[in-house]
Amino acid sequence: MTIRTFVQATERTLTIRKLILLALAATLLIFIVLLFRASMLYIKLGNDFAGDSWEIPSILYGRPTKIRVGDHLGNLRLEERLKRLSYTKVSGTPDRPGTYSLESGRARIFTRGYRIYELPSSGGPAELEIRNGRVASIVTRAGNPLESVRIEPEEIARILGPKRESRRLIPLSSIPDSMKNAVIASEDTRFHSHRGIDFVGIARATLTNLKDRRFTQGGSTITQQVAKNFFLSPKKTLMRKLREAELAIILELRFTKNEILEMYLNKIYFGQDGTVGVYGIEEAAHFYFSKEASDLTLEESALLAGIIRSPNRYSPFKDKRAAKERRNTVLNQMRRMNMISEDELRVALTSLLVVQPQPTKPRLAPYFMDYIQRITAEELGDEELFRTGYRFNTTLDPLLQSLAEKAVAEGLAEIDKTLPPSDEPLQAALVAVDPATGEMIAMVGGREYGISQFNRATSARRQPGSAFKPFVLLAAMRQTLEGRGGITLSTTVSGEPITFKTPQGPWTPSNSDGKTYGNISVRTAIENSVNTATVRLADEVGLDEVVKTAKAAGITSRLPSLPSMPLGSFEVTPMELAYAYTTIASRGIRFDPFPLFSITNADGGIISEKRGRNERTIDPRTTYLTAYAMEGTIERGTGRIARALGIRFTASGKTGTTNDNRDSWFVGFTPDIVCAVWVGYDSEANTKLTGARGALRIWSRFMRSVYPEAEPTALTPPDGVEFEEIDPASGFLATSNCTQKFREAYLIGTAPKDTCPIHPVSPALDIFRKGFKSLGDYFRSLFK
């Protein structure tokens, strides 16, 4: 070898070594870059799945339905409530949650469990004995007596994100094995053996597609579908497939198989409910079968697993034959993989394809939903509700809410026919409260939410007019109870015209009916809404006392100490007035507005818990007397048209009309429900409506629908109240000669002791009656 040849050989060797070193360096660099990229993806995937990759709507639920001994099932509309919750009616004894049966004199319900702060229920079977339409007893399946049973709350509304994806996240442990196996058999038979990419599956799919000369099978694994659904567009390109494979490998490194399957089952698309997409197994179970995923049967699991490949093609709502064939294909594949036995396969294949879709519901309570979001905004901050998946457990009764919305819509349509054309629509607001708990059970904030989102129930401040007068009466009754006055319901007060001096000059109230009254009873002043008599009564009681009583009842607005204040010349909201009347209906317990039990996150963790704040502020004897007097408004007074409108039962209430008919009010109640209705124009223009011609019509429609089959129970007098038969004209004890008699209520010891001077009888009989009454008063005082 020459020196030249040696040098050339050495140079070639050095060149090769350099190339090798460069190749090794490049390989190492690529490895480092890939390792860095993989590490970043590893971290990113963990952060993304823990963050806002999910679009989970927040859901508002109503309050649970409570069935108590003594309740009338017709008024409760039990079967309608069960159907709204997609309960299945069966013959015989219900054997699973969400089923019920009705027989002569008996109802059996297998309730579902739920969790709401202070009102939890594990669900289970209950048997109700029915007599004359009312619940006579409630027992468990074992025969143990129950005072009540609760049915799970109904969904009111959802707050959806921009993608319109509706889903409910559930853990893998809540998904039955039949569903997990069906999905694996249908979508990825080698799920537990591959590491994100199934090369065997890809090869098999390729050969099948070549054989069929068309694309009939895909080779994507469940892991790849998770990667695609969370991070990639559906566009089919080579770069997207490479990116999908890369993400799938990292997913397999970052998460366990169970975690990946849980992501998949919560993320996957199952079909369309109008403009809303149905995503995740829990939402699909509710959409197709009106049940929770945990209750899915084998054949139902196979049907849902088969839908995944093409929700439009295999939807049982569109093509039952194709859906059943696809279901059976999945079942056969499950048998080939030994996931089910031969007997299970045979039974499932021969089972009918039965779906029970959730009933399509109109959007319910939009004003209430806005109100809940507003009052919780401070607690929840700037969270996007469709990403956090909050659960708002509210006090609303969805059935009563739908009745309230119907009453407002139909009532306004009826009232419109009586009015001349206007440049603006007549508006209304309604608030209903449960006086036993203070729970807000219905709210309507306007005529049509799509046109005006302004919530008149909570934000419109309008004068209550004569609807405030019951608090003047309440103040008088409180004074009498405390021994600082002697006014009773039969006390006479002048209804003659009166003029007051005010800073703005003389003020002379007039009566809305244009009449002039002489001496009338306090009861008549309230029943007929006599302004002149009411301001005289307030003047005798004292304006400060009226203000004090109204505040104790729950009026939070500023009350000016002016002579016109007793006639409602200040401003309140319908919700404020409804809760003030609730204090009267609840025997003196004042409740703060209570629309919400709790807020939880998607996992059930408590975000916020609410308690209904209440305290006794007024003696029940005085509230009873006030409510008893207000019964006369409907029986004989300004609200008597309610009888013609179908109110056949006893109720207490008061009309309200403001100057120039700007506002029409009616607030009334039974022991079960308080309802306040306002009608007017947003511009405060003249409606030409009194309280009776406007708001009372809507109130009557609503209350009539609350008691479709049986009357409510009457108010029961508390201890310390007695009744006497009086002559209504004189206000004294009735005699045998009185042509009219009335049973009036009094605080013990305050009833009149003299007989009617207009219709006297023999003096001896009068003396005997007085002595007998005095003796009775003496013995009653011994047992106070």
Side-chain angles (χ1 to χ4, degrees):
M1 177 183 296
T2 63
I3 294 175
R4 183 177 179 181
T5 303
F6 176 78
V7 171
Q8 288 177 342
T10 302
E11 288 176 348
R12 283 197 299 272
T13 301
L14 290 173
T15 301
I16 292 172
R17 287 179 178 176
K18 287 180 181 179
L19 291 173
I20 292 173
L21 288 173
L22 286 172
L24 288 173
T27 302
L28 180 61
L29 181 61
I30 292 171
F31 176 78
I32 292 173
V33 170
L34 291 176
L35 182 63
F36 178 78
R37 177 178 175 79
S39 299
M40 291 298 99
L41 281 175
Y42 186 93
I43 295 171
K44 182 179 185 302
L45 289 179
N47 292 336
D48 284 351
F49 282 111
D52 61 357
S53 295
W54 301 94
E55 188 169 289
I56 314 164
S58 289
I59 304 177
L60 280 77
Y61 291 97
R63 71 173 183 173
T65 298
K66 187 176 183 179
I67 307 172
R68 300 162 297 188
V69 174
D71 283 346
H72 194 285
L73 294 189
N75 287 350
L76 193 63
R77 299 173 186 252
L78 176 63
E79 191 161 19
E80 182 178 347
R81 289 179 183 274
L82 293 174
K83 288 179 178 179
R84 289 170 69 99
L85 290 165
S86 302
Y87 272 62
T88 302
K89 189 175 184 179
V90 298
S91 59
T93 302
D95 59 352
R96 64 186 186 280
T99 56
Y100 73 100
S101 65
L102 295 176
E103 304 168 4
S104 177
R106 195 165 306 280
R108 296 184 177 94
I109 311 170
F110 202 128
T111 62
R112 305 180 182 118
Y114 64 87
R115 176 73 177 92
I116 293 180
Y117 175 67
E118 287 192 337
L119 296 174
S121 174
S122 57
E127 185 172 305
L128 287 63
E129 182 185 359
I130 313 301
R131 295 178 193 162
N132 299 321
R134 294 190 181 275
V135 179
S137 67
I138 307 174
V139 297
T140 65
R141 183 169 288 177
N144 299 320
L146 298 171
E147 291 184 0
S148 63
V149 64
R150 284 190 175 96
I151 304 171
E152 77 272 14
E154 180 183 335
E155 181 180 317
I156 299 171
R158 293 191 169 204
I159 304 171
L160 295 170
K163 297 180 182 178
R164 306 288 290 171
E165 294 183 3
S166 186
R167 67 162 50 79
R168 314 177 203 209
L169 293 184
I170 58 171
L172 193 65
S173 59
S174 296
I175 302 174
D177 290 339
S178 62
M179 187 69 228
K180 302 172 196 172
N181 291 334
V183 167
I184 291 172
S186 173
E187 296 298 307
D188 189 354
T189 58
R190 290 167 48 81
F191 174 68
H192 287 294
S193 59
H194 65 67
R195 300 305 300 171
I197 302 174
D198 183 9
F199 294 104
V200 174
I202 292 173
R204 183 173 57 247
T206 301
L207 290 174
T208 301
N209 292 337
L210 289 173
K211 180 181 177 181
D212 295 341
R213 294 186 178 182
R214 61 191 181 93
F215 187 82
T216 59
Q217 287 190 15
S220 291
T221 64
I222 284 176
T223 314
Q224 286 176 279
Q225 291 185 59
V226 170
K228 177 186 70 176
N229 289 331
F230 272 99
F231 302 107
L232 303 175
S233 71
K235 188 176 180 180
K236 294 181 178 180
T237 65
L238 178 61
M239 185 56 66
R240 197 219 71 184
K241 292 297 292 182
L242 292 174
R243 176 77 171 143
E244 179 184 296
E246 176 190 40
L247 289 171
I249 294 171
I250 302 300
L251 280 170
E252 291 278 347
L253 293 172
R254 182 66 177 79
F255 301 101
T256 66
K257 289 288 187 180
N258 280 344
E259 288 173 331
I260 292 171
L261 185 59
E262 181 178 286
M263 295 175 199
Y264 178 81
L265 288 170
N266 278 301
K267 184 71 175 179
I268 199 68
Y269 174 65
F270 280 95
Q272 202 72 19
D273 182 11
T275 62
V276 178
V278 179
Y279 287 82
I281 186 60
E282 181 74 358
E283 192 68 26
H286 281 271
F287 178 63
Y288 289 104
F289 302 110
S290 298
K291 61 169 60 176
E292 296 178 351
S294 58
D295 296 326
L296 290 171
T297 63
L298 170 60
E299 52 268 28
E300 290 168 346
S301 296
L303 176 65
L304 292 182
I307 286 174
I308 293 173
R309 178 164 295 182
S310 179
N312 184 56
R313 179 180 176 186
Y314 296 122
S315 169
F317 301 143
K318 295 182 179 180
D319 191 337
K320 277 197 170 184
R321 182 171 172 273
K324 187 172 183 179
E325 288 179 356
R326 177 62 182 154
R327 180 200 72 177
N328 292 348
T329 298
V330 174
L331 287 168
N332 282 310
Q333 178 64 11
M334 293 176 74
R335 177 69 191 112
R336 284 193 290 271
M337 296 179 68
N338 291 318
M339 291 175 170
I340 57 175
S341 67
E342 194 65 39
D343 287 342
E344 287 175 318
L345 175 65
R346 183 174 61 255
V347 171
L349 287 176
T350 56
S351 66
L352 296 175
L353 191 152
V354 179
V355 290
Q356 186 180 355
Q358 282 187 323
T360 301
K361 301 175 184 177
R363 190 182 183 196
L364 195 65
Y367 291 102
F368 182 78
M369 187 171 75
D370 282 357
Y371 173 63
I372 292 295
Q373 291 186 67
R374 177 168 64 82
I375 64 174
T376 59
E378 185 175 338
E379 291 178 85
L380 303 181
D382 297 328
E383 292 277 7
E384 292 183 276
L385 296 183
F386 62 85
R387 290 212 181 278
T388 49
Y390 289 129
R391 301 295 181 262
F392 296 85
N393 299 306
T394 77
T395 63
L396 202 77
D397 186 313
L399 178 60
L400 294 183
Q401 174 67 27
S402 63
L403 295 177
E405 292 181 1
K406 182 180 180 182
V408 169
E410 293 181 352
L412 284 175
E414 179 186 31
I415 295 168
D416 281 343
K417 296 176 183 177
T418 68
L419 301 179
S422 174
D423 294 334
E424 60 176 316
L426 191 67
Q427 291 290 350
L430 181 152
V431 177
V433 182
D434 183 341
T437 62
E439 296 168 13
M440 191 183 303
I441 53 180
M443 173 192 285
V444 181
R447 182 172 197 140
E448 191 171 349
Y449 181 82
I451 295 176
S452 171
Q453 291 78 52
F454 177 61
N455 191 341
R456 295 155 189 85
T458 62
S459 302
R461 303 192 60 80
R462 307 296 286 258
Q463 291 187 353
S466 295
F468 181 74
K469 288 176 181 176
F471 302 102
V472 177
L473 174 59
L474 188 60
M477 297 298 100
R478 291 180 82 195
Q479 259 192 359
T480 300
L481 178 67
E482 295 168 4
R484 296 184 293 115
I487 297 172
T488 69
L489 296 182
S490 60
T491 298
T492 56
V493 60
S494 173
E496 295 288 345
I498 186 173
T499 299
F500 292 90
K501 294 180 180 179
T502 72
Q504 291 76 33
W507 176 71
T508 302
S510 59
N511 296 315
S512 58
D513 57 9
K515 294 181 181 179
T516 299
Y517 291 82
N519 288 332
I520 58 175
S521 68
V522 168
R523 168 181 285 279
T524 301
I526 293 297
E527 289 181 354
N528 292 340
S529 201
V530 182
N531 290 341
T532 51
T534 302
V535 294
R536 286 180 183 273
L537 177 63
D539 187 53
E540 182 176 344
V541 171
L543 294 183
D544 290 342
E545 286 294 324
V546 174
V547 170
K548 181 181 176 182
T549 298
K551 293 292 186 183
I555 297 293
T556 57
S557 297
R558 189 181 73 84
L559 299 176
S561 292
L562 297 173
S564 61
M565 181 267 292
L567 303 184
S569 60
F570 52 93
E571 293 180 338
V572 294
T573 66
M575 182 174 73
E576 182 181 353
L577 198 56
Y579 270 92
Y581 269 70
T582 298
T583 303
I584 301 175
S586 66
R587 295 180 171 235
I589 298 175
R590 174 184 170 177
F591 293 94
D592 285 349
F594 184 28
L596 185 66
F597 289 115
S598 64
I599 308 171
T600 63
N601 59 27
D603 299 325
I606 298 289
I607 301 298
S608 175
E609 297 174 338
K610 307 291 183 182
R611 293 178 182 268
R613 293 179 54 191
N614 63 85
E615 62 175 318
R616 182 174 294 284
T617 57
I618 300 177
D619 190 282
R621 290 169 288 182
T622 60
T623 58
Y624 175 81
L625 292 174
T626 304
Y628 186 61
M630 292 164 65
E631 289 179 359
T633 300
I634 295 174
E635 290 289 344
R636 297 167 295 277
T638 56
R640 59 187 177 276
I641 192 178
R643 294 296 184 226
L645 296 173
I647 302 300
R648 307 279 190 257
F649 49 83
T650 300
S652 301
K654 186 68 189 75
T655 53
T657 311
T658 59
N659 290 341
D660 297 325
N661 299 111
R662 294 190 184 99
D663 305 283
S664 169
W665 290 88
F666 192 85
V667 190
F669 56 87
T670 67
D672 310 310
I673 187 169
V674 178
C675 178
V677 178
W678 166 86
V679 173
Y681 289 117
D682 287 338
S683 67
E684 301 189 32
N686 189 329
T687 64
K688 304 188 185 309
L689 296 171
T690 62
R693 290 188 58 225
L696 179 56
R697 293 182 176 276
I698 294 174
W699 183 90
S700 297
R701 278 181 177 273
F702 174 61
M703 295 296 285
R704 193 174 65 221
S705 67
V706 172
Y707 300 103
E709 295 189 19
E711 294 184 358
T713 57
L715 291 169
T716 55
D719 291 340
V721 171
E722 64 178 345
F723 292 84
E724 291 290 350
E725 196 171 63
I726 67 167
D727 179 283
S730 67
F732 289 93
L733 298 174
T735 70
S736 58
N737 288 339
C738 291
T739 56
Q740 290 185 327
K741 298 177 183 180
F742 183 80
R743 186 172 181 263
E744 189 59 277
Y746 299 91
L747 295 169
I748 285 181
T750 65
K753 294 179 173 52
D754 295 325
T755 55
C756 175
I758 304 175
H759 309 98
V761 292
S762 66
L765 189 59
D766 280 351
I767 292 171
F768 174 77
R769 177 167 181 170
K770 288 180 183 179
F772 186 79
K773 184 178 187 309
S774 297
L775 185 62
D777 290 343
Y778 170 74
F779 279 109
R780 276 194 296 268
S781 68
L782 295 178
F783 297 98
K784 280 188 178 179

